[in-house]
Amino acid sequence: MKYIVSDDQEFVYFVVQKVACSSIKTALLPLFGMNTPKRFEYTRKDGSTGLRIHKLFDRSDYQIREEQFIAGLNDQYREYFKFAFIRNPWDRLVSCYSQKLSNVNGPGLKLPAESNVELYRGMPFAEFVEAVYAIPDSEANPHFQSQHMVICGSGRDKPILADFVGRFENLKADFEVVAKKISGSQQLQLPHILRSRNRQFRPYTEFYDRRLRDLVYERYQEDIEIFGYSY
């Protein structure tokens, strides 16, 4: 689990993967004043230039891990504005599959070496859902790990640690709330969000039958109940 911290602007961004985190990181970048070395740039198929934004933050001092965040939660980060973005679990899982595994040439997803569940490129969606259902959050890849693992504290009640939780389904308006809070006079631009080409703009409901829908409910029941989602 990763958290992006700005001591100058006094905020913490809880990074939930497959919830527009590439776009949000890109929008936040001007607040950090980081140089972008050529090694983090790449050329897209259409000839335009892109930025390996995750690697850029991974190698910066602005990204911290869970243990660092928890250690400073009641001290250094107590008064910081803490925010996160969440997504409908059924939709998030379709997005994960479409980007990472639906194509045999996709990037794939890594699991711990000791995991006895296999994820492979080109696997059918139903098989992917069944695999995710069998993988506990302790072994899950961050792209399909439960969202409350990043946003909520431990304990029976699992309190939400973020001051503001925006929704992917209302991304533009909710990000504007965050931008006004953290950026002062600086304008932050959220890049245009592109759906996976493999998904072909299909709504997530087209990927599920009743059995698969129920498996996702059971797997992500805590996310669904904590954040108030439904199919």
Side-chain angles (χ1 to χ4, degrees):
M1 286 175 275
K2 300 173 182 178
Y3 303 81
I4 291 175
V5 177
S6 169
D7 292 321
D8 290 337
Q9 306 294 338
E10 295 190 346
F11 71 76
V12 181
Y13 165 44
F14 297 50
V15 181
V16 180
Q17 303 217 30
K18 296 312 300 172
V19 189
C21 59
S22 297
S23 296
I24 294 169
K25 287 179 181 179
T26 301
L28 296 176
L29 190 58
L31 299 179
F32 293 93
M34 284 191 288
N35 293 322
T36 53
K38 289 292 185 181
R39 70 179 183 275
F40 294 116
E41 297 179 355
Y42 69 97
T43 302
R44 301 187 181 95
K45 292 181 180 180
D46 63 5
S48 62
T49 300
L51 182 64
R52 294 184 174 88
I53 191 71
H54 300 310
K55 290 185 177 180
L56 181 62
F57 273 103
D58 284 347
R59 288 160 175 75
S60 78
D61 295 329
Y62 300 110
Q63 184 167 279
I64 64 175
R65 295 198 171 273
E66 180 185 19
E67 56 271 19
Q68 295 171 273
F69 171 68
I70 295 300
L73 184 57
N74 294 317
D75 184 19
Q76 180 180 0
Y77 307 131
R78 177 193 290 271
E79 301 300 326
Y80 282 27
F81 176 66
K82 296 173 279 291
F83 67 93
F85 283 81
I86 56 173
R87 187 173 189 171
N88 181 301
W90 288 276
D91 186 38
R92 180 172 175 250
L93 202 59
V94 169
S95 178
C96 176
Y97 169 78
S98 298
Q99 183 189 29
K100 301 293 185 180
L101 294 174
S102 65
N103 192 304
V104 293
N105 296 315
L109 288 167
K110 292 182 180 180
L111 293 175
E114 63 272 16
S115 176
N116 59 4
V117 179
E118 181 184 8
L119 299 177
Y120 61 93
R121 297 172 180 86
M123 70 189 303
F125 181 68
E127 188 176 335
F128 172 64
V129 173
E130 292 164 354
V132 168
Y133 178 79
I135 299 171
D137 278 323
S138 60
E139 298 178 10
N141 184 282
H143 290 84
F144 60 80
Q145 186 182 52
S146 295
Q147 297 168 87
H148 75 268
M149 297 289 290
V150 179
I151 299 171
C152 297
S154 58
R156 187 172 183 178
D157 295 334
K158 292 185 172 58
I160 295 175
L161 302 179
D163 301 306
F164 178 82
V165 179
R167 293 180 181 260
F168 181 86
E169 298 79 16
N170 195 41
L171 181 60
K172 185 176 184 296
D174 284 353
F175 185 77
E176 287 177 359
V177 173
V178 170
K180 289 178 182 178
K181 181 73 175 179
I182 67 175
S183 63
S185 60
Q186 191 163 1
Q187 297 294 315
L188 300 183
Q189 298 297 322
L190 192 68
H192 180 62
I193 307 227
L194 295 176
R195 287 177 178 261
S196 168
R197 293 181 180 179
N198 296 324
R199 186 169 176 172
Q200 299 177 333
F201 299 97
R202 294 166 60 193
Y204 72 83
T205 52
E206 289 190 7
F207 288 78
Y208 292 96
D209 57 22
R210 181 179 293 275
R211 183 181 69 88
L212 296 180
R213 181 193 70 185
D214 291 347
L215 286 179
V216 173
Y217 177 83
E218 291 181 31
R219 173 63 176 82
Y220 295 107
Q221 185 173 358
E222 287 184 287
D223 276 359
I224 290 164
E225 293 179 353
I226 290 171
F227 302 119
Y229 275 110
S230 61
Y231 183 74

